[in-house]
Amino acid sequence: MVYEYDRNIRDRVAVIGVGETEYTKHGRIGRPEFRLALEAILAACADAGLEPRMLDGFSSYSADRNDPNRLSTALDLPHYAFASMVYGGGGGGVCAAIGNAAAGIVAGYANFVVVYRALAQGEFGRFGQSRRGGRLRGQYAFNVPQGLMSPAQFLAMKMQRHMYEYGTTSAQLGQIAVAANKHAQNNPRAVMNGRPITLEDHQNSRMIADPYRLYDCCLETDGAAAMILTTAEIARDFTDTPVYLSASVQGSGHRQGNVVDGFWHDDFMSSNYTTMVDRLYSAAGMGPEDIDCGQFYENFTGQVLTSFEDHKFCEVGEGGPFCEGGRLETTAVADPGATHAGEFPINTSGGNLSEAYTHGFNLAVEAVRQLRGDSSNPVEGARTCIVAAGPASAPISTAIFRN
């Protein structure tokens, strides 16, 4: 017997506050990661108008080092009633952590759950750098001896195949990087603010892992971000502009969790959303045509492109042309005469490429800002925003927010 996914959390939970630290290049923030987590959480409480001691739940992902027991003590909470962690998947857990928090609220375990992610790459090491180890286990025993030692190298192979199959070009990937950078110029929080790039700059930047050039790769930064969720009913006591969670899905397709086996599965070029995208739209009661803007996790530009395809914003193989003509830029920053200006703006804070890399959580924060009207790059009339977590990881997740 096949059992349908016919239960959901649609619009039963709302975001009442978001918070961030400042963002800096890796190693330059000058404070411990644990303190960064606390600063972001307290900033989210201040944004919500919530007394911090009212928090009673925690949710994070990718084995965030700042555990709820320690956070609860530092925040002087009288108790906490819920804690959740998404294991594995790296940045793929952004929306899963939000979804888990919502599930805990709907189930009645907690009233105010804070979702957070903190990174101090200067304290604990750079994400994008390969590390030597005394012993190789599992898949790494197979791929490291062949020179596949970093995410850029793994994922470049997927994009090379896409270019071979569909004629996708480096310049089309560059459109994603340029759009994010344009948005960062209006965002004072962005690490790349004041450092504009052109498509020519992208094309001339040094090669990291063919076809990925420097500006195809996410930033490496220090910082933290947080978000507070509660029930839709309680949210009305705190804000006139709640942002509702319409859907959050998580999971993985067959063999997507293993780099070695993954080279052989049928969905090799995808970003691993294909098995859950129908669940996403069904849970939200929407389709891709109902989405006004998006925040797409950029570990690398090519994975954003295949994320568009996976989420059915364009056909498979058409991701390259979809990126052209200013479609990914807000109308305000698009070049005059851009043929598709502002049709589907993404990463309106600058994203992982130009704002900061908090393992993608800054993208979820920007979705909330966009829908409550205080984004530095507002999308006129935006009512819905999709957030796609770390593409090509496993598990992976996506969420849809509405105002």
Side-chain angles (χ1 to χ4, degrees):
M1 180 177 289
V2 176
Y3 296 96
E4 298 296 328
Y5 295 97
D6 57 357
R7 305 173 300 282
N8 63 57
I9 57 172
R10 185 190 305 168
D11 302 339
R12 297 174 68 183
V13 170
V15 180
I16 58 171
V18 294
E20 298 164 290
T21 64
E22 78 276 24
Y23 298 129
T24 71
K25 292 188 69 173
H26 64 87
R28 297 189 183 179
I29 204 162
R31 304 193 298 284
E33 187 179 84
F34 181 68
R35 177 171 171 175
L36 300 181
L38 288 169
E39 288 178 9
I41 291 169
L42 290 172
C45 288
D47 185 54
L50 178 76
E51 163 59 41
R53 297 182 82 244
M54 293 180 70
L55 292 173
D56 57 0
F58 298 89
S59 184
S60 192
Y61 59 100
S62 192
D64 186 285
R65 283 173 285 261
N66 306 288
D67 71 84
N69 288 328
R70 191 178 176 202
L71 290 170
S72 176
T73 300
L75 292 165
D76 194 31
L77 303 190
H79 78 286
Y80 71 90
F82 176 81
S84 174
M85 174 61 65
V86 180
Y87 292 98
V94 173
C95 299
I98 295 169
N100 289 353
I105 291 168
V106 170
Y109 296 137
N111 287 323
F112 300 99
V113 179
V114 61
V115 191
Y116 62 95
R117 186 72 173 105
L119 278 181
Q121 296 192 61
E123 183 179 2
F124 292 104
R126 293 169 58 184
F127 264 45
Q129 197 169 46
S130 61
R131 297 177 176 86
R132 293 180 179 179
R135 179 175 296 179
L136 297 174
R137 296 180 176 88
Q139 61 174 311
Y140 299 102
F142 294 90
N143 56 44
V144 171
Q146 310 306 320
L148 293 175
M149 302 176 67
S150 72
Q153 293 166 326
F154 299 144
L155 298 180
M157 298 180 74
K158 287 174 170 278
M159 202 61 230
Q160 284 281 14
R161 178 65 178 273
H162 198 281
M163 290 175 153
Y164 174 80
E165 294 284 351
Y166 303 117
T168 309
T169 68
S170 173
Q172 289 168 337
L173 301 182
Q175 298 284 354
I176 298 169
V178 170
N181 184 271
K182 284 184 176 182
H183 294 144
Q185 303 317 306
N186 294 328
N187 177 9
R189 299 182 306 276
V191 171
M192 291 293 286
N193 182 267
R195 299 166 61 192
I197 65 169
T198 64
L199 186 58
E200 183 179 9
D201 293 329
H202 172 274
Q203 292 289 280
N204 290 331
S205 63
R206 71 179 184 271
M207 191 67 72
I208 303 298
D210 195 4
Y212 291 141
R213 299 179 176 276
L214 176 65
Y215 291 132
D216 289 306
C217 305
C218 67
L219 296 169
E220 294 180 280
T221 61
D222 294 348
M227 172 184 297
I228 297 173
L229 289 84
T230 188
T231 68
E233 293 76 20
I234 294 174
R236 299 187 190 106
D237 295 333
F238 287 86
T239 177
D240 294 327
T241 57
V243 174
Y244 299 97
L245 180 63
S246 289
S248 175
V249 297
Q250 58 183 288
S252 179
H254 178 56
R255 282 185 162 182
Q256 288 275 7
N258 188 311
V259 172
V260 177
D261 283 348
F263 291 147
W264 303 103
H265 63 69
D266 293 336
D267 246 0
F268 173 62
M269 288 179 287
S270 88
S271 283
N272 193 20
Y273 300 102
T274 56
T275 59
M276 62 184 184
V277 69
D278 289 339
R279 282 193 286 129
L280 172 75
Y281 291 131
S282 175
M286 303 178 192
E289 68 280 359
D290 299 310
I291 306 300
D292 297 321
C293 56
Q295 313 298 331
F296 285 79
Y297 187 116
E298 324 105 301
N299 36 20
F300 306 97
T301 53
Q303 276 55 61
V304 177
L305 185 151
T306 51
S307 297
F308 296 151
E309 297 177 354
D310 286 2
H311 286 94
K312 302 183 179 181
F313 292 107
C314 61
E315 296 296 324
V316 174
E318 295 181 2
F322 185 79
C323 297
E324 297 176 332
R327 178 179 275 113
L328 310 182
E329 303 167 5
T330 58
T331 305
V333 305
D335 294 338
T339 53
H340 300 288
E343 289 182 4
F344 189 58
I346 69 161
N347 300 4
T348 46
S349 67
N352 292 335
L353 291 173
S354 288
E355 182 186 38
Y357 183 76
T358 56
H359 229 164
F361 205 74
N362 50 316
L363 295 167
V365 168
E366 173 63 10
V368 173
R369 286 199 170 112
Q370 188 62 250
L371 292 177
R372 69 185 191 183
D374 55 3
S375 169
S376 54
N377 290 285
V379 176
E380 185 177 356
R383 296 175 56 85
T384 58
C385 185
I386 191 169
V387 179
S393 60
I396 202 168
S397 57
T398 305
I400 295 175
F401 294 89
R402 75 166 183 86
N403 58 22

